Amino acid sequence: MKKYLIFLFAFLISAQAFALELQDAKDQGLVGETNSGFVAPITSSPSSEVRKLVATVNQQRKASYKRISVSHGLSPSEVGRLAYKKAVDKTRLVITTKIVRVNG
């Protein structure tokens, strides 16, 4: 049980670090969300680090979309489009919250 908890803790930390890396790339305008639920570089000649990040994120998302699609009776592309919509809605919520805090 102790080994399981250590593994879970390590996984959560690494996932969190990865998420921050993706968010940093988004904040810097290096990558963005596509309407298919994947990320893509925004610049025409991205660095190798950005290309690697995009490939890794998209590989993980593709596996997740496939797993979710099987359990919900959808196609992976439908899951991707739903994920994109959720990301856009979440972004709008964050922007709205920031505007309210600045004005309120």
Side-chain angles (χ1 to χ4, degrees):
M1 180 71 169
K2 186 176 181 180
K3 286 182 182 181
Y4 176 75
L5 290 175
I6 291 171
F7 173 76
L8 181 62
F9 181 71
F11 176 76
L12 291 174
I13 289 175
S14 66
Q16 203 170 27
F18 180 74
L20 290 173
E21 192 174 308
L22 175 60
Q23 191 58 51
D24 288 343
K26 285 181 175 183
D27 291 345
Q28 294 172 27
L30 301 173
V31 299
E33 296 285 338
T34 67
N35 62 1
S36 62
F38 295 100
V39 294
I42 292 177
T43 62
S44 59
S45 55
S47 69
S48 61
E49 186 178 359
V50 170
R51 286 193 306 269
K52 183 178 178 182
L53 175 65
V54 167
T56 302
V57 168
N58 287 341
Q59 182 180 23
Q60 291 176 347
R61 287 185 179 189
K62 184 176 182 178
S64 294
Y65 296 166
K66 186 174 182 179
R67 187 176 58 253
I68 293 167
S69 70
V70 169
S71 66
H72 288 82
L74 300 168
S75 71
S77 60
E78 289 173 311
V79 175
R81 284 192 296 274
L82 290 170
Y84 168 74
K85 184 179 179 326
K86 186 175 181 179
V88 168
D89 291 345
K90 183 178 177 182
T91 301
R92 287 182 184 148
L93 178 63
V94 170
I95 291 170
T96 302
T97 302
K98 287 183 180 180
I99 291 172
V100 170
R101 285 185 184 165
V102 169
N103 293 332

